[in-house]
Amino acid sequence: MAILSRSEAKRILDKVLKYSRADEASAQLAGSETGNIRYARNSVSTSGIVNDIELAVEARFGKKSGVATINEFSDASLEKVMRRAEELAKLSPENPEAMPMLGPQKYVSVDGFAKSTADITPDQRAKAAADSIIAAKEKKVVAAGYLEDQRSFAAVATSKGLFGYHASTSANFTVTMRTENGLGSGWAESDVTDFGAMNTGSTSSVAIDKAVLSQEARALEPGKYTVILEPNAVSGLVGYMMSGFDARSADEGRSFMSKKGGGNRTGEKMFDKRVNFYSDPTSLDVPAQPWTGGDFMQLGRTEWVKDGVVKNLARSRYWAEQSKGEVVPEPNNLIMVGGDKSTEELIKNTHRGILVSRTWYIRMVDPQSMLLTGLTRDGTFYIENGKIKYPVKNFRFNESPVIMLNNIEDMGVPQRVGMWGMSAMIPALKVRDFTFSSLSDAV
């Protein structure tokens, strides 16, 4: 029941919208079947499947809006949820920034559904966990991991004739490995559309090696270092920075994208010329839903940074009208163009530096400069003459990704990672003068 076909979804949406007496109405139907398995201390602790489907209806009278949800789809239920949304709309205050609902959109076709993921069985999840646990036991380390797979669909419609349908699959696996003495820690992630491309054993081996190698860490003086940030470490910083690619906060002087004297920095060269960011829902590496949440705007390829120059900031329909600018929808994925080197090759070409596996607990210090603070975690190592010499204690860093992306020395091959709720392709980066402000005793 959780996965409806395009025609089944459209039939429900058409029917619920016909019950509308409001000025405008929209409906979203979303369903998913999500499986998971969790383990800790080398033993499985929980496993399950969640099967759910929900209809959300919005009714509007002028600038008053009400939303109601339901998960049953009889004719009486569909009429009931629309009446409830209308009642709430009449009771609500006006939203001065409300924009009219959209009519038909041209949504791009996205190939983001893999049968191997949709057909995962409990036995396959158990084997995936076993591959990780067995690898941990062989190396005498302790594993804690979580695998979640999902097949889902989403469908949207408005009383103005808009309709869209999107089906997708995904699987994400994360694992932390700790040495039995508690002195070493490693972490790794695998994020895929096609479960057939996931190998929890090899992903676990990455975390195991980091855990074993990170024992007996030495203390280095805080300061500025050349660092090699693995993709997950880059993702934490870049993902935070991209939240500031917003035209309204920039125009209102609230972000690092604000221009002195007013306006924003679109068109300025703010980064190294090798820095290129774009989003594209049709990417085969990170396929994404082809419309935005909220108002269902169609998404296509959008350049955010081209050759170091800021090309676009997200701009809502309301702010576009107020600022006389072009609407730029927020993306559902992100791709950063990288180089052709592996992380091992980046290490080999480093005279002295520090390898950072992961950035953690990142917080904003100053939105005007995008200065962030956070911790390294799960494997931090000193590099000398092209080789990892020894593990070092974790650091607190105080660094702006804007500065970081101006200090690039080399770039690795992009890898798929999770980034603040969406998937992204991010390379490892070799960066000079990265600022570590203090030491951390955390493993």
Side-chain angles (χ1 to χ4, degrees):
M1 180 63 181
I3 307 299
L4 299 183
S5 68
R6 181 185 181 91
S7 59
E8 290 170 330
K10 191 171 189 310
R11 182 181 58 80
I12 292 174
L13 294 177
D14 287 346
K15 184 172 288 186
V16 74
L17 289 174
K18 282 184 178 177
Y19 288 118
S20 172
R21 300 168 183 164
D23 296 340
E24 297 180 309
S26 69
Q28 301 183 64
L29 191 57
S32 64
E33 184 173 288
T34 304
N36 69 78
I37 188 165
R38 185 192 304 275
Y39 54 97
R41 302 181 70 83
N42 288 346
S43 295
V44 171
S45 55
T46 60
S47 179
I49 296 175
V50 177
N51 195 321
D52 194 19
I53 185 168
E54 183 178 273
L55 173 67
V57 171
E58 179 183 6
R60 289 190 190 174
F61 293 95
K63 290 183 177 293
K64 293 185 172 185
S65 170
V67 177
T69 62
I70 201 165
N71 62 358
E72 55 186 347
F73 307 107
S74 65
D75 289 0
S77 299
L78 296 178
E79 183 173 11
K80 181 175 69 176
V81 72
M82 181 59 79
R83 293 288 91 79
R84 182 60 175 159
E86 291 171 350
E87 290 170 7
L88 293 170
K90 291 175 181 175
L91 291 171
S92 71
E94 288 194 348
N95 175 6
E97 299 186 4
M99 297 295 292
M101 289 184 179
L102 292 172
Q105 300 285 290
K106 293 181 179 178
Y107 298 130
V108 294
S109 177
V110 174
D111 182 10
F113 192 93
K115 191 172 185 303
S116 65
T117 308
D119 293 343
I120 287 178
T121 65
D123 285 348
Q124 285 179 288
R125 295 188 194 99
K127 183 180 183 308
D131 289 346
S132 176
I133 293 170
I134 290 170
K137 287 182 175 178
E138 288 176 348
K139 297 292 183 179
K140 300 187 183 305
V141 298
V142 182
Y146 183 68
L147 168 66
E148 181 174 289
D149 56 82
Q150 184 179 78
R151 59 177 183 136
S152 62
F153 83 96
V156 294
T158 70
S159 55
K160 292 186 171 180
L162 176 150
F163 175 75
Y165 177 88
H166 174 65
S168 64
T169 59
S170 64
N172 181 270
F173 170 67
T174 58
V175 62
T176 301
M177 296 287 184
R178 287 289 179 104
T179 55
E180 292 179 345
N181 59 13
L183 298 177
S185 179
W187 182 90
E189 176 189 40
S190 178
D191 188 79
V192 298
T193 300
D194 182 350
F195 185 70
M198 179 178 284
N199 185 327
T200 56
S202 64
T203 301
S204 297
S205 294
V206 174
I208 291 170
D209 290 345
K210 288 184 181 294
V212 172
L213 288 172
S214 64
Q215 300 178 89
E216 301 179 6
R218 304 181 195 179
L220 284 185
E221 285 295 319
K224 290 185 179 295
Y225 287 88
T226 293
V227 296
I228 294 173
L229 302 165
E230 294 196 18
N232 276 297
V234 175
S235 171
L237 297 167
V238 165
Y240 218 119
M241 181 189 74
M242 293 306 295
S243 67
F245 271 59
D246 173 70
R248 182 172 185 174
S249 61
D251 293 345
E252 293 179 340
R254 296 183 282 118
S255 86
F256 71 105
M257 283 292 174
S258 300
K259 192 173 184 177
K260 287 184 179 178
N264 62 63
R265 302 178 69 179
T266 303
E268 287 189 23
K269 184 177 181 305
M270 291 184 63
F271 308 101
D272 184 286
K273 66 181 181 181
R274 291 168 289 181
V275 174
N276 292 276
F277 288 108
Y278 67 95
S279 55
D280 184 352
T282 66
S283 164
L284 295 179
D285 293 317
V286 280
Q289 182 174 281
W291 62 77
T292 60
D295 53 8
F296 320 138
M297 279 189 290
Q298 61 194 35
L299 291 173
R301 177 174 173 131
T302 301
E303 304 282 354
W304 301 104
V305 177
K306 178 73 173 176
D307 300 331
V309 177
V310 178
K311 305 300 287 186
N312 280 296
L313 299 178
R315 185 179 288 104
S316 68
R317 294 165 60 213
Y318 170 77
W319 193 245
E321 186 177 87
Q322 295 296 310
S323 62
K324 313 299 180 188
E326 183 181 351
V327 175
V328 182
E330 292 187 356
N332 289 331
N333 64 5
L334 184 72
I335 296 129
M336 179 178 180
V337 177
D340 58 0
K341 293 187 177 68
S342 65
T343 301
E344 290 71 27
E345 290 173 307
L346 295 178
I347 294 171
K348 188 177 180 180
N349 295 328
T350 300
H351 180 50
R352 286 193 178 88
I354 293 174
L355 174 66
V356 178
S357 301
R358 191 182 181 201
T359 48
W360 176 255
Y361 210 78
I362 301 169
R363 294 292 183 271
M364 179 71 78
V365 176
D366 176 22
Q368 299 288 348
S369 61
M370 189 49 70
L371 179 64
L372 305 177
T373 189
L375 299 168
T376 66
R377 188 164 176 173
D378 298 316
T380 307
F381 304 95
Y382 178 66
I383 302 166
E384 188 174 280
N385 297 325
K387 294 182 179 178
I388 291 177
K389 297 294 287 186
Y390 51 79
V392 295
K393 286 193 172 184
N394 284 307
F395 290 101
R396 172 167 291 282
F397 60 82
N398 276 16
E399 185 62 80
S400 167
V402 181
I403 295 173
M404 178 184 83
L405 294 174
N406 274 290
N407 288 341
I408 292 173
E409 293 198 348
D410 211 342
M411 308 171 81
V413 178
Q415 296 179 24
R416 176 163 163 168
V417 298
M419 175 188 276
W420 301 93
M422 65 182 182
S423 293
M425 293 296 291
I426 299 293
L429 296 179
K430 182 179 177 181
V431 177
R432 63 181 175 276
D433 295 334
F434 191 91
T435 305
F436 293 118
S437 54
S438 61
L439 290 176
S440 168
D441 287 327
V443 173

